[in-house]
Amino acid sequence: MSTRTWGARGPRRRRTATAAAIATAAVLLTGCGGGDADKAAVPEGWGTLKTGSLSVGYPKSEGYAEQPAAERAKANAAVALKEEDGIRTGMVSVQLDFATGVRDAAGAAAAAGAGIGLGSTRKATDDVRLAGPEDAPEAREARRIDYDFTSDGQEDTPNRGTPMTGVLVAGVDSKGVPFVVRLNAVKDAVDAEDLDAFVGSITVK
């Protein structure tokens, strides 16, 4: 089964000044590697997916809803979906223990990056520091990959050829379990601030 995940398209609500401030604070504390917070800030109006290795925010106020465990693919530890007219126009996913022989963020990112798919274009790869336990700093080190691709139209996803953009964050938690968190979106449906807020909402355990 494809590991691609899908993001929202169509009109977006403007985030309030308060939510924008929260998102910016989250990025400054986590995604830019400059903070020691043990819990990330989740933007106003967002929900939270919780797993044994990490928690991550998703844009609940824009129509995303957590998928029941009985309905999601076995490879996913948590999923939030947005569906419109039977099409999955939004999806956030978390995969745990998804690769063998992975011991650090670089290895997790290499394994996760291999699943992006042919025809994808990497835009950037950056080291980030996530919120998490101060006594396990290595678990807070992760790698972010931003990329573009086109939809293949399979599994109730947007029409084949639809331009997409995505971001994934990969690392290893304090117990040595590799993780990857993904958000993909129809291109221009989410902006750089949304993607930064998504990365900044992650708390690793």
Side-chain angles (χ1 to χ4, degrees):
M1 180 178 291
S2 171
T3 58
R4 289 180 174 176
T5 53
W6 308 92
R9 63 180 175 182
R12 298 176 53 251
R13 299 186 202 176
R14 293 183 178 274
R15 183 177 292 120
T16 65
T18 299
I22 293 172
T24 301
V27 174
L28 291 175
L29 287 172
T30 57
C32 294
D36 293 318
D38 61 0
K39 187 175 182 180
V42 176
E44 183 179 342
W46 287 36
T48 302
L49 296 177
K50 298 179 180 180
T51 72
S53 291
L54 60 86
S55 63
V56 60
Y58 66 92
K60 185 175 182 178
S61 59
E62 294 183 16
Y64 287 72
E66 186 168 358
Q67 186 181 36
E71 297 178 11
R72 65 175 181 253
K74 290 183 178 180
N76 295 322
V79 172
L81 290 174
K82 181 175 182 178
E83 297 184 338
E84 299 176 89
D85 298 324
I87 300 297
R88 293 185 175 185
T89 61
M91 184 172 174
V92 171
S93 68
V94 181
Q95 291 183 323
L96 305 179
D97 206 13
F98 69 97
T100 59
V102 172
R103 296 179 176 82
D104 56 24
I116 292 175
L118 296 175
S120 300
T121 301
R122 292 197 188 197
K123 298 191 296 181
T125 300
D126 299 294
D127 292 328
V128 294
R129 176 175 290 179
L130 305 176
E134 293 187 14
D135 59 352
E138 69 284 351
R140 299 175 59 201
E141 301 302 323
R143 189 158 291 182
R144 169 180 175 167
I145 300 176
D146 290 82
Y147 54 94
D148 286 337
F149 63 100
T150 57
S151 171
D152 59 15
Q154 299 179 10
E155 300 178 20
D156 297 324
T157 55
N159 293 336
R160 182 179 180 85
T162 300
M164 309 290 293
T165 192
V167 61
L168 68 80
V169 178
V172 177
D173 73 7
S174 61
K175 295 182 179 179
V177 177
F179 64 82
V180 58
V181 186
R182 294 183 177 90
L183 168 64
N184 286 358
V186 174
K187 196 170 180 64
D188 298 328
V190 294
D191 56 24
E193 182 180 308
D194 289 318
L195 296 179
D196 286 345
F198 173 72
V199 175
S201 74
I202 299 170
T203 299
V204 68
K205 300 177 182 178

